[in-house]
């Protein structure tokens, strides 16, 4: 009896109930968890990035390139002039959302959002190697998106919500997946339409993993038949967007225009779509061979580091890791359809760096089975 009480007391000290399932939040467990976090490599990276973020927040407008601040400046201008008759397009919708928030509260929301993303990214980082990879993935988001209000700010809210959905105790795996897809559909319906495609790809990936082999084969054959006889118009329109956007910008050697490119073939049918998609995948993930510069070298390193991470951390340990990896793949596959230039691709891809971090932090080793129950500890 005495030994049982000692075990129960020790379990409570680290925040675990006697049955090993329900985490307890006690002063002792909170202190122990805080100490455990501070001793992890993730705490070192978090402290470094928090300091870097504060410097960018205060001094960023004085030394960051002007095109880094263009989107934020446009949204803040629209926020002051917007009215209900202007609503339409992602910039207007974003400006309208920010216009509903008191001006004094916007900087607080920006700091809390960025701080939450950084904290969640490094919360479970246990090795310096993982931390270095996460730091690489976060870097473009910190200098381009986290230190100013823009469309990516709302994307961070969406990703924090998606991460939270996988950690709610009452959620089952399928319920969390549907909730995440619904959030993406809501955002895609009002702000960025291509998020509807991301939601569809996300559901397909989840279906592929969770379905039995026979149903998986049937679904694959069905998709191939659809693609052969009728490429979805949403995909064709997405690829046409690249030509529509870039035709007036080709040949202009200025910031934001230097790396624009066109589809090599007219967007018509499965064959042309596939060749255009393959060309874009090569160009956007190995840009240094098409536009040699330091920026394009960094994007090449970034893209191949992500490909390496998708392979290295291909075994998610929990529902959180599973959904994070599926979302990263979904964003990557959809962005290759329409991205018009290298810089825009890097900004949009790095906006899901929180999910890249979760994919790394919630992976498993060996042949342990995937647990699709919510991740509620740690």
């Amino acid at each position: 009896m005495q030994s049982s009480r000692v075990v129960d007391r020790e379990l409570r000290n680290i925040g675990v109930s006697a049955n090993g399932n329900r985490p307890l939040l006690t002063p002792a467990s909170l202190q122990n968890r805080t100490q455990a976090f501070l001793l992890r490599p993730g705490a070192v990276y978090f402290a470094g990035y928090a300091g870097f973020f504060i410097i960018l927040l205060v001094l960023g407008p004085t030394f960051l390139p002007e095109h880094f601040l263009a989107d934020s400046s446009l949204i803040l201008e629209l926020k002051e002039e917007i009215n209900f008759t202007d609503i339409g397009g992602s910039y207007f919708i974003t400006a309208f959302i920010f216009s509903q928030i008191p001006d004094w509260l916007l900087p607080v929301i920006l700091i809390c959002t960025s701080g939450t993303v950084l904290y969640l990214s490094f919360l479970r980082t246990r090795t310096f190697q993982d931390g270095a990879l996460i730091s690489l993935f976060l870097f473009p988001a910190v200098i381009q998106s986290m230190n100013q209000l823009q469309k990516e700010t709302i994307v961070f809210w969406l990703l924090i919500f998606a991460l939270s959905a996988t950690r709610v105790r009452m959620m089952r795996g399928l319920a969390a997946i549907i909730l995440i897809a619904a959030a993406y559909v809501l955002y895609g319906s009002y702000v960025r339409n291509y998020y509807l495609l991301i939601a569809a790809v996300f559901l397909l990936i989840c279906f592929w993993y969770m379905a039995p082999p026979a149903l998986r084969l049937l679904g694959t054959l069905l998709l191939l038949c659809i693609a052969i006889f009728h490429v979805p118009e949403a995909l064709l329109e997405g690829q046409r967007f690249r030509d529509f956007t870039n035709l007036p910008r080709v040949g202009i050697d200025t910031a934001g225009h230097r790396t624009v490119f066109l589809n090599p073939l007219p967007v018509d049918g499965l064959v042309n779509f596939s060749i255009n998609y393959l060309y874009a995948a090569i160009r956007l993930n190995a840009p240094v061979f098409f536009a040699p510069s330091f920026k394009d070298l960094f994007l090449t390193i970034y893209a191949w580091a992500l490909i390496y991470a998708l392979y290295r951390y291909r075994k998610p340990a929990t529902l959180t890791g599973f959904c994070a990896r599926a979302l990263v793949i979904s964003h990557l596959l959809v962005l290759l359809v329409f991205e018009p230039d290298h810089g825009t691709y890097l900004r949009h891809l790095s906006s899901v760096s929180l999910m890249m971090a979760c994919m790394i932090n919630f992976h498993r080793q060996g042949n342990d089975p995937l647990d699709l129950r919510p991740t509620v500890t740690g």
Side-chain angles (χ1 to χ4, degrees):
M1 176 68 71
Q2 177 125 9
S3 63
S4 176
R5 290 177 181 173
V6 171
V7 171
D8 288 351
R9 184 173 66 249
E10 292 301 319
L11 287 171
R12 282 195 294 272
N13 284 341
I14 61 173
V16 179
S17 65
N19 63 13
N21 293 323
R22 173 177 287 179
L24 301 174
L25 189 60
T26 64
S29 69
L30 184 60
Q31 179 182 359
N32 289 338
R33 288 185 183 186
T34 303
Q35 291 175 350
F37 173 69
L38 293 176
L39 293 174
R40 289 177 181 174
V44 177
Y45 285 104
F46 173 74
Y49 255 113
F52 182 48
F53 167 73
I54 292 172
I55 293 173
L56 286 175
L57 196 65
V58 176
L59 302 177
T62 63
F63 67 84
L64 286 176
E66 186 176 345
H67 63 277
F68 277 22
L69 311 172
D71 280 8
S72 178
S73 300
L74 176 59
I75 289 171
L76 292 178
E77 289 176 10
L78 291 173
K79 184 178 80 70
E80 300 302 325
E81 304 171 359
I82 201 164
N83 58 63
F84 286 97
T85 61
D86 291 327
I87 298 301
S90 58
Y91 284 100
F92 280 104
I93 295 295
T94 304
F96 175 75
I97 293 172
F98 289 149
S99 71
Q100 306 306 302
I101 303 173
D103 288 342
W104 65 268
L105 190 56
L106 286 173
V108 177
I109 290 176
L110 175 64
I111 293 172
C112 290
T113 300
S114 301
T116 301
V117 170
L118 292 175
Y119 176 73
L120 293 176
S121 296
F122 292 115
L123 176 60
R124 293 176 61 97
T125 304
R126 291 181 170 84
T127 69
F128 284 100
Q129 293 89 337
D130 289 350
L133 198 54
I134 293 171
S135 297
L136 172 65
F137 294 148
L138 282 170
F139 182 73
V142 172
I143 64 172
Q144 290 185 290
S145 307
M146 289 190 189
N147 62 335
Q148 52 194 316
L149 290 166
Q150 53 176 290
K151 289 184 284 188
E152 274 64 37
T153 305
I154 301 177
V155 174
F156 293 140
W157 298 348
L158 178 64
L159 296 178
I160 292 171
F161 173 82
L163 179 58
S164 301
T166 67
R167 298 175 67 86
V168 175
R169 186 185 306 279
M170 295 180 295
M171 283 286 177
R172 298 292 179 183
L174 185 59
I177 289 167
I178 292 174
L179 188 61
I180 292 170
Y184 265 69
V185 168
L186 180 65
Y187 180 76
S189 300
Y190 290 98
V191 186
R192 286 168 160 169
N193 291 338
Y194 69 85
Y195 271 67
L196 298 173
L197 281 176
I198 294 175
V201 175
F202 172 69
L203 289 174
L204 285 174
I205 292 173
C206 294
F207 166 81
W208 173 264
Y209 189 92
M210 300 173 71
L215 193 57
R216 193 182 299 178
L217 177 61
L218 181 62
T220 302
L221 293 175
L222 181 61
L223 287 176
L224 285 175
C225 290
I226 293 174
I228 291 172
F229 293 104
H230 180 70
V231 180
E233 190 62 27
L235 294 177
L236 296 177
E237 285 299 320
Q239 204 169 78
R240 291 185 187 118
F241 172 80
R242 178 181 292 125
D243 290 340
F244 175 79
T245 303
N246 285 346
L247 273 173
R249 303 196 297 162
V250 171
I252 302 177
D253 190 18
T254 58
H257 298 79
R258 182 180 59 86
T259 60
V260 301
F261 65 97
L262 301 174
N263 295 306
L265 297 175
V267 183
D268 183 18
L270 177 63
V271 175
N272 285 13
F273 175 87
S274 301
I275 294 174
N276 291 337
Y277 188 88
L278 179 61
Y279 173 74
I282 296 172
R283 170 120 193 188
L284 292 171
N285 292 304
V288 72
F289 298 108
F290 297 88
S293 71
F294 176 78
K295 295 177 182 178
D296 295 293
L297 175 62
F298 177 82
L299 174 54
T300 303
I301 294 172
Y302 190 98
W304 284 96
L306 178 56
I307 294 171
Y308 162 77
L310 287 169
Y311 175 77
R312 169 68 176 80
Y313 303 100
R314 64 190 181 278
K315 295 181 179 180
T318 64
L319 177 63
T320 301
F322 173 77
C323 290
R325 188 171 184 272
L327 283 172
V328 171
I329 295 173
S330 302
H331 277 261
L332 177 63
L333 294 177
V334 172
L335 290 178
L336 296 177
V337 173
F338 68 89
E339 284 294 4
D341 59 75
H342 303 171
T344 305
Y345 175 65
L346 177 60
R347 187 176 78 248
H348 289 166
L349 188 59
S350 65
S351 68
V352 289
S353 51
L354 171 60
M355 290 302 159
M356 299 176 192
C358 290
M359 174 183 71
I360 294 171
N361 291 331
F362 290 91
H363 79 283
R364 59 194 165 103
Q365 297 179 346
N367 296 317
D368 295 334
L370 170 62
D371 184 3
L372 285 181
R373 293 174 298 177
T375 306
V376 295
T377 60

